[in-house]
Amino acid sequence: MYTLPKIERFNQNVLSKYHIYNSVFITLPFDAIDNTGVLLPLFSEVCDNGFKNHWSPKQIVDFFAEKYLDNASESEKIDLMFRFIQYVERQVVLFDAIEDAAFPIVNNMEGRGSLRDIKEKTEAKDKRKELISFLETFNVRTVLTAHPTQFYPGSVLGIITDLTEAIRVNDLIKIKQLLAQLGKTPFIKKEKPTPFDEAVSLLWFLENVFYQTIGDMMQYLQKNIFEGNLIENPIVNLGFWPGGDRDGNPFVTPEITEKVAKRLRTSILKCYYFDIRNLKRKLTFNEVDTIIAGLEYKLYRSVFYSQGEIFISLEELINELTIVKNIVVEKHQSLYLDDINLLLQKITQFGFHFASLDIRQNSKIHTKVFDDITAFLKREKAVVFPEDFEQMTEVDKMAVVSHLKFDLSQHFFENEMTRTTLETIKLMQEIQTENGEKGCNRYIISNNESALNVIETYAMFRLMGWENPTVDIVPLFESVDDLQNAHTIMEQLYQNSVYRQHLKERKDKQTVMLGFSDGTKDGGYLMANWSIFKAKEMITQVSREYGIKVIFFDGRGGPPARGGGKTHKFYASLGSTIENQEIQLTVQGQTISSNFGTLDSCRYNLENLLSAGVANQIFNENENDLSETEKAIIDSLSQIAYEKYVDFKNHPKFIPYLEQMSTLKYYAKTNIGSRPSKRNTDDKLDFADLRAIPFVSSWSQLKQNVPGFFGVGTALKYFESNNRWEEVQQLYHNSLFFRTLLENSMMSLAKSNFSLTAYMKDDAEFGGFWQIIYDEFQETTRLLLKIAGHTELMQNYPDGKASIIIREQIVLPLLTIQQYASTQIQLLKNQPDSDETLIRVYEKLVTRSLFGNTNASRNSA
């Protein structure tokens, strides 16, 4: 049977269903005034026509009130706007659920990038042995981070899950019930979550999605590639940051870290327990039934009756199941062998840790901690430091620090940061004892600026009595300057004899983390991405020279501005000059729920990541390698874009614009995450201390996705004006890396809407600044369409574009309300006797409007 094009499948299974179910939804009475659902479509139409006619948000709201509301007071208008926001938030949920339900229909689950596709391609090209060899060493690691950018509370996530299933089977009665339930369920978190709350929220995805999906993927590979043999290499790994990420979060304490580690272990044992229960119903034969019953009892006690006590070891669990497997093969005709193999594969995969809990701390904190330690060691004359230690070169300091020997494990430091840092190191050893080494074996140093930062951290492990720490110390390079110096720092580390010995004990592997977020904030879109590419090339080169296998861990957020977008294409585009034997990336916020929130989407995206590695390592014959000429072009483009962005960032109105015209200051009021929205506690906004999430999100709320495009148009314009357009045109066609980079920028442009804020161009203070942004948007759009040969943005992703269009339509009323409230606040504040009570009401309106727009964007921060 003929398969419809993807856009037609989207229109039939997403768009049409949304219009049908939304018509049911807006007729449901959720409050005392039941005309909200009737008025919302009218308001939406007024917004759409109003912006087409270049009206301001205030003109739109005033026109709507005059036409459809009977002499409504400002208070009544505000009340209606709050109700509109509530409806829009729930329309977003409905659309999410419909898209999730249609995912396996719209996307070809067995097509390009799937495990089946990998298998068939390798067989067609007679590369089965190469594939097996590759899969014996390759790893994909998705790391769920403690950076929530989604506002759904747990109760709403549960409704989305049920609604998705009801839509999948077209259960109209159930759908109507769930929509009614959705209308009465609060979306607001009354209190900020703790880091433990964040961990529990993400554990839902581990238990309900990743556990089954990764198990099924591994079983497919086991049966179809490895001829039924157990795969000892855990090809798809999970990482976990909530409870371990201390950078800028004072609420992450050693007690929280320990609590999260225990919860991870309990969660995986619970998963094993339910699988064993299912096996027990099948394995009712002689000999095996008693073994399974014994395993069930021990797991049950470990999960439900223990106070942290475990009544079965990992080795015992594996050994007993292996005995069961052998008996079933020898005496019971291999009945239910697949089920036993699947569970054994899951246990090999997840151990007793489920996901590896990463610890992260900022280098500036480490420096203070190490200074405190050094002062103590000098004061106590515990270690002899050279008299000129403070004046020594960095390399000489590293030599001294790396050889420090003393046991600090029993010493009490009065400084809380020193104490908790050292307690965390001690705790890592305890977690490894209980959950296995993979339970907590990585320490990430954010804002890493020198090799000494790494050596000091390594020295702290040894000073805590951990002579040969089974821990990977991971420097995180973020700013443009740090990225450019990264290879030099890594070479200094490789030349340090003590650290080189440590790497030898870690199988000559060194993980390096590269952060898109602060790089983009610091240097703009092109420079950040190109700096990371070059850093990877140079670190790869120096690592190969020293016999080190370097593993790159990418700090990716949701949007293109933070390394998001078409992630699998990004990894497939890397050539032979960049080590790519593992794919490691952070996943956060809406990206977790949109890309990995259901069994289908999780499988699809994990298989695509694995496929990207296969494409690069097995099928790539260096066609993705950039020539020196091509690199010079990207270098030139990046430098021009960087200069444009830096000038923009240094504009005297840059910070005031964010403070006064964006929603930046409202993020701290949303109770979305446990971490403060900026690194310092000063009232004054310091750009350096501003976190990437609120920075990117503020531009997203304005629908001016500056971090995802600013400078790109100026750079391309330079080549166009200097008769060099053919060079960038050829580069776009020849380089998958460059093409993916620009396509992701197109996504940022497609999610922008300058009609929303066009009224700002007439603002006495910020009109000129708004125009700078708009002009760059226009130029970038024009030139990206030109280079792609398209007439509209995202023309080659029609289903993705259609999804963005409908989501933008859904939230347009909400954004109009946000801008209306913002302008009212400005007007009131400029009055001599401003009404503080009314200002607070409008501020609440702005804060409430953040939720639906952020959720609708799916990768807005």
Side-chain angles (χ1 to χ4, degrees):
M1 182 179 174
Y2 174 68
T3 303
L4 291 171
K6 198 171 183 182
I7 184 60
E8 290 187 35
R9 300 199 301 272
F10 177 88
N11 289 336
Q12 283 186 9
N13 295 280
V14 179
L15 203 54
S16 298
K17 282 189 176 183
Y18 174 72
H19 290 312
I20 293 167
Y21 295 139
N22 187 49
S23 64
V24 174
F25 175 68
I26 61 175
T27 60
L28 294 172
F30 297 132
D31 46 46
I33 303 172
D34 61 4
N35 66 344
T36 310
V38 176
L39 289 171
L40 179 58
L42 297 173
F43 182 60
S44 183
E45 186 179 353
V46 171
C47 292
D48 192 39
N49 291 329
F51 286 123
K52 285 176 182 174
N53 291 317
H54 311 294
W55 289 2
S56 71
K58 187 176 189 315
Q59 288 174 306
I60 289 170
V61 172
D62 289 346
F63 175 84
F64 174 80
E66 186 179 334
K67 186 171 182 179
Y68 295 108
L69 306 180
D70 186 17
N71 293 319
S73 66
E74 187 65 13
S75 176
E76 288 171 328
K77 284 198 290 185
I78 289 170
D79 185 52
L80 181 60
M81 284 189 276
F82 272 116
R83 295 205 304 275
F84 279 167
I85 288 172
Q86 289 176 315
Y87 262 78
V88 170
E89 287 172 343
R90 286 152 179 81
Q91 284 178 315
V92 171
V93 170
L94 174 61
F95 191 76
D96 280 350
I98 292 170
E99 271 206 317
D100 286 344
F103 191 92
I105 302 169
V106 174
N107 298 280
N108 185 354
M109 300 296 290
E110 304 296 334
R112 188 174 183 180
S114 67
L115 291 183
R116 179 177 176 179
D117 179 53
I118 291 171
K119 174 180 176 290
E120 290 175 354
K121 271 186 183 174
T122 49
E123 287 175 350
K125 297 195 175 186
D126 195 25
K127 291 199 170 188
R128 185 184 179 87
K129 287 183 180 178
E130 289 93 329
L131 179 62
I132 292 173
S133 177
F134 169 78
L135 292 173
E136 285 175 340
T137 58
F138 185 77
N139 284 280
V140 169
R141 184 194 289 238
T142 53
V143 181
L144 309 188
T145 77
H147 304 325
T149 52
Q150 184 179 66
F151 293 86
Y152 295 142
S155 55
V156 175
L157 286 172
I159 295 171
I160 294 175
T161 302
D162 294 342
L163 187 57
T164 300
E165 188 52 40
I167 291 168
R168 202 188 297 270
V169 297
N170 290 313
D171 187 338
L172 294 175
I173 295 173
K174 184 72 171 174
I175 290 167
K176 192 169 182 178
Q177 283 180 331
L178 288 165
L179 289 176
Q181 180 188 352
L182 189 65
K184 293 183 175 293
T185 302
F187 273 44
I188 309 304
K189 296 174 181 176
K190 294 177 181 176
E191 297 178 353
K192 285 178 76 71
T194 67
F196 185 70
D197 293 333
E198 291 171 340
V200 171
S201 295
L202 291 188
L203 275 164
W204 186 91
F205 293 99
L206 294 188
E207 293 176 9
N208 294 282
V209 183
F210 284 99
Y211 179 72
Q212 182 177 329
T213 302
I214 294 174
D216 290 345
M217 286 175 63
M218 294 300 291
Q219 187 175 43
Y220 179 91
L221 293 171
Q222 186 187 61
K223 292 176 71 174
N224 293 282
I225 306 296
F226 285 82
E227 299 177 348
N229 295 315
L230 190 72
I231 306 171
E232 294 191 11
N233 173 41
I235 297 167
V236 186
N237 292 285
L238 295 171
F240 206 74
W241 275 18
D245 183 8
R246 305 190 71 207
D247 181 16
N249 194 338
F251 307 112
V252 178
T253 62
E255 292 75 24
I256 288 287
T257 304
E258 182 178 23
K259 196 175 176 184
V260 170
K262 286 182 176 178
R263 186 61 177 262
L264 280 164
R265 188 181 67 219
T266 301
S267 292
I268 191 59
L269 291 177
K270 183 168 66 173
C271 291
Y272 296 156
Y273 166 72
F274 286 121
D275 276 358
I276 286 286
R277 275 185 64 186
N278 290 331
L279 266 180
K280 187 182 175 186
R281 296 183 65 179
K282 297 175 180 178
L283 301 179
T284 52
F285 331 132
N286 285 335
E287 294 183 66
V288 296
D289 55 347
T290 54
I291 299 174
I292 291 295
L295 292 177
E296 181 197 32
Y297 175 68
K298 289 179 179 178
L299 284 169
Y300 182 80
R301 288 187 69 194
S302 299
V303 173
F304 300 107
Y305 269 90
S306 74
Q307 297 295 320
E309 188 177 357
I310 301 299
F311 296 90
I312 187 169
S313 68
L314 179 62
E315 291 72 24
E316 182 184 357
L317 182 57
I318 292 172
N319 290 339
E320 292 289 282
L321 272 175
T322 303
I323 291 169
V324 167
K325 174 181 175 178
N326 293 336
I327 294 172
V328 165
V329 170
E330 293 169 10
K331 299 183 179 181
H332 302 291
Q333 293 76 48
S334 298
L335 197 55
Y336 298 121
L337 180 61
D338 280 354
D339 299 78
I340 301 168
N341 278 336
L342 175 58
L343 181 53
L344 275 168
Q345 191 63 65
K346 286 176 177 175
I347 294 168
T348 302
Q349 191 77 25
F350 301 113
F352 273 17
H353 64 281
F354 210 162
S356 298
L357 183 59
D358 287 346
I359 306 297
R360 186 172 79 133
Q361 183 56 283
N362 196 290
S363 67
K364 288 180 169 55
I365 298 294
H366 276 180
T367 298
K368 291 177 182 176
V369 168
F370 203 77
D371 285 347
D372 195 19
I373 292 170
T374 304
F376 165 76
L377 293 175
K378 287 180 177 178
R379 190 168 59 248
E380 297 295 313
K381 295 185 171 53
V383 174
V384 178
F385 279 88
E387 288 184 13
D388 60 344
F389 178 74
E390 300 303 330
Q391 286 72 46
M392 281 182 167
T393 65
E394 185 178 318
V395 172
D396 288 340
K397 278 186 179 179
M398 286 167 56
V400 173
V401 170
S402 61
H403 285 90
L404 288 178
K405 285 188 180 295
F406 192 75
D407 187 0
L408 290 174
S409 59
Q410 303 305 315
H411 179 72
F412 180 85
F413 282 89
E414 290 185 8
N415 182 284
E416 184 182 2
M417 187 56 72
T418 304
R419 189 170 64 253
T420 56
T421 300
L422 296 177
E423 283 176 7
T424 300
I425 287 172
K426 187 177 180 181
L427 179 61
M428 289 179 74
Q429 202 165 9
E430 294 170 8
I431 293 171
Q432 288 194 13
T433 301
E434 295 185 353
N435 293 17
E437 184 188 315
K438 291 181 181 177
C440 191
N441 66 346
R442 300 209 306 188
Y443 199 111
I444 299 160
I445 311 166
S446 54
N447 193 41
N448 195 99
E449 297 177 328
S450 69
L452 187 59
N453 289 154
V454 176
I455 294 298
E456 285 176 343
T457 305
Y458 176 69
M460 283 192 277
F461 277 87
R462 298 183 70 183
L463 288 168
M464 286 301 290
W466 204 348
E467 184 61 29
N468 296 306
T470 48
V471 173
D472 297 319
I473 298 170
V474 182
L476 165 53
F477 302 106
E478 298 175 89
S479 71
V480 171
D481 286 345
D482 290 344
L483 287 165
Q484 290 173 349
N485 296 329
H487 66 291
T488 304
I489 290 171
M490 296 315 300
E491 183 164 27
Q492 288 177 331
L493 288 171
Y494 298 154
Q495 289 173 343
N496 181 278
S497 59
V498 174
Y499 190 75
R500 184 64 186 84
Q501 180 60 34
H502 168 67
L503 288 182
K504 189 175 182 181
E505 289 162 1
R506 302 301 294 160
K507 299 181 180 178
D508 286 326
K509 288 184 181 181
Q510 171 67 56
T511 303
V512 175
M513 188 173 180
L514 302 160
F516 286 81
S517 306
D518 284 311
T520 306
K521 182 169 78 78
D522 179 44
Y525 180 74
L526 276 183
M527 179 58 84
N529 279 275
W530 184 233
S531 294
I532 287 171
F533 185 95
K534 290 197 295 183
K536 283 185 174 181
E537 275 200 326
M538 291 186 286
I539 294 170
T540 296
Q541 182 181 347
V542 74
S543 298
R544 287 172 178 173
E545 287 172 6
Y546 284 87
I548 303 295
K549 177 186 173 185
V550 69
I551 298 161
F552 293 113
F553 175 25
D554 289 313
R556 291 178 166 272
R562 301 189 63 232
K566 301 290 181 183
T567 302
H568 61 282
K569 285 186 71 174
F570 170 84
Y571 285 110
S573 74
L574 301 176
S576 62
T577 56
I578 291 176
E579 204 73 77
N580 194 30
Q581 295 182 51
E582 293 192 21
I583 290 176
Q584 298 192 9
L585 71 162
T586 55
V587 191
Q588 66 190 41
Q590 312 99 310
T591 315
I592 296 174
S593 55
S594 62
N595 288 4
F596 303 96
T598 67
L599 295 172
D600 292 321
S601 62
C602 185
R603 177 194 147 197
Y604 181 85
N605 285 294
L606 285 178
E607 288 189 6
N608 266 271
L609 283 174
L610 183 57
S611 173
V614 172
N616 216 315
Q617 296 294 321
I618 296 180
F619 300 124
N620 179 30
E621 295 171 354
N622 297 340
E623 67 258 27
N624 289 326
D625 284 0
L626 291 165
S627 68
E628 291 305 314
T629 302
E630 289 171 330
K631 288 178 183 178
I633 294 170
I634 303 178
D635 241 344
S636 181
L637 286 165
S638 300
Q639 190 59 40
I640 295 164
Y642 176 67
E643 289 168 6
K644 176 73 173 179
Y645 179 79
V646 169
D647 285 347
F648 173 67
K649 193 175 67 172
N650 291 335
H651 193 288
K653 295 300 178 187
F654 185 89
I655 295 295
Y657 184 82
L658 280 175
E659 284 188 303
Q660 296 176 46
M661 307 303 279
S662 83
T663 58
L664 181 64
K665 58 178 173 279
Y666 296 96
Y667 270 87
K669 303 174 183 179
T670 57
N671 291 336
I672 183 175
S674 67
R675 201 167 69 158
S677 59
K678 56 195 184 83
R679 288 185 171 92
N680 65 11
T681 55
D682 298 340
D683 289 334
K684 184 182 176 184
L685 178 62
D686 186 335
F687 183 79
D689 290 323
L690 181 59
R691 294 197 174 282
I693 286 176
F695 175 73
V696 173
S697 296
S698 297
W699 292 111
S700 174
Q701 293 286 336
L702 285 168
K703 291 299 166 185
Q704 303 173 1
N705 292 309
V706 162
F709 73 81
F710 200 89
V712 175
T714 297
L716 291 173
K717 172 71 175 173
Y718 174 85
F719 275 74
E720 183 188 52
S721 302
N722 288 276
N723 298 317
R724 297 181 62 189
W725 184 256
E726 189 61 32
E727 294 176 43
V728 290
Q729 188 71 70
Q730 282 294 111
L731 179 63
Y732 179 83
H733 288 304
N734 294 340
S735 167
L736 180 59
F737 168 78
F738 187 63
R739 192 160 62 251
T740 302
L741 198 60
L742 296 193
E743 284 182 354
N744 282 341
S745 190
M746 287 186 208
M747 187 189 297
S748 292
L749 294 170
K751 290 186 176 185
S752 297
N753 179 6
F754 279 80
S755 297
L756 180 72
T757 56
Y759 71 92
M760 292 182 186
K761 71 175 180 289
D762 299 321
D763 186 270
E765 184 178 359
F766 295 109
F769 189 76
W770 183 93
Q771 194 66 47
I772 291 171
I773 302 169
Y774 182 61
D775 289 346
E776 185 66 16
F777 166 80
Q778 291 279 75
E779 195 72 321
T780 306
T781 301
R782 179 181 75 83
L783 290 165
L784 287 184
L785 290 177
K786 180 179 179 179
I787 202 168
H790 294 167
T791 55
E792 57 183 32
L793 295 166
M794 294 183 68
Q795 188 173 310
N796 52 336
Y797 298 106
D799 58 309
K801 182 177 177 64
S803 177
I804 289 172
I805 288 171
I806 191 67
R807 287 175 179 277
E808 296 300 320
Q809 287 175 352
I810 291 170
V811 298
L812 187 62
L814 182 149
L815 291 167
T816 307
I817 291 168
Q818 182 184 104
Q819 288 302 314
Y820 171 77
S822 296
T823 54
Q824 291 299 96
I825 292 166
Q826 296 288 342
L827 285 171
L828 287 168
K829 285 186 174 179
N830 289 333
Q831 292 176 4
D833 299 313
S834 56
D835 186 337
E836 292 298 328
T837 302
L838 189 54
I839 287 174
R840 283 195 293 273
V841 173
Y842 281 125
E843 286 180 337
K844 185 178 179 184
L845 204 56
V846 173
T847 304
R848 287 289 285 107
S849 70
L850 301 177
F851 292 54
N853 182 44
T854 301
N855 292 335
S857 298
R858 285 217 156 184
N859 64 358
S860 64

